[in-house]
Amino acid sequence: MGGVESTGRARVVLVSRAGCHLCDEGREVVRRVAEATGTAWAEVDVDADPEAVRRWSDRVPVVLVDGVERDFGRLDAGRLTDALAGRRWWRRRR
């Protein structure tokens, strides 16, 4: 996806689409976590590239951290924070 590869220095990429309420909610999660951690982020439109549509269309919003998919659907601030810290969310202690 041209947009994902060309996001510059953004560690976090939100793959979303217009008119998606989960994407709107996910954007706020990403914005809050990125602001709290001082992390650069970017947003790309899944519908702008056929390869992105094939890969992620049914799962938006999708969050990539350092190019690796870390979350999709209803995004979670704790999982994103853990991913930024290098922790795997399924191993997080409660």
Side-chain angles (χ1 to χ4, degrees):
M1 174 176 190
V4 171
E5 284 85 25
S6 63
T7 56
R9 296 184 299 181
R11 279 196 72 199
V12 176
V13 175
L14 173 65
V15 182
S16 65
R17 73 166 29 104
C20 166
H21 75 282
L22 284 178
C23 298
D24 293 340
E25 292 172 12
R27 183 178 306 107
E28 284 306 305
V29 169
V30 171
R31 183 194 60 74
R32 281 193 319 269
V33 171
E35 185 176 284
T37 61
T39 303
W41 71 284
E43 184 172 0
V44 295
D45 179 5
V46 71
D47 295 314
D49 180 4
E51 176 61 19
V53 169
R54 183 192 67 74
R55 239 173 127 181
W56 294 304
S57 182
D58 294 340
R59 299 175 29 180
V60 294
V62 176
V63 172
L64 309 174
V65 176
D66 298 327
V68 177
E69 184 178 325
R70 294 297 186 156
D71 204 359
F72 69 95
R74 197 164 298 278
L75 304 182
D76 181 85
R79 288 192 299 259
L80 179 53
T81 301
D82 283 352
L84 287 168
R87 295 185 299 264
R88 299 188 187 276
W89 66 268
W90 58 86
R91 293 182 182 167
R92 189 170 79 195
R93 294 181 185 186
R94 295 186 183 244

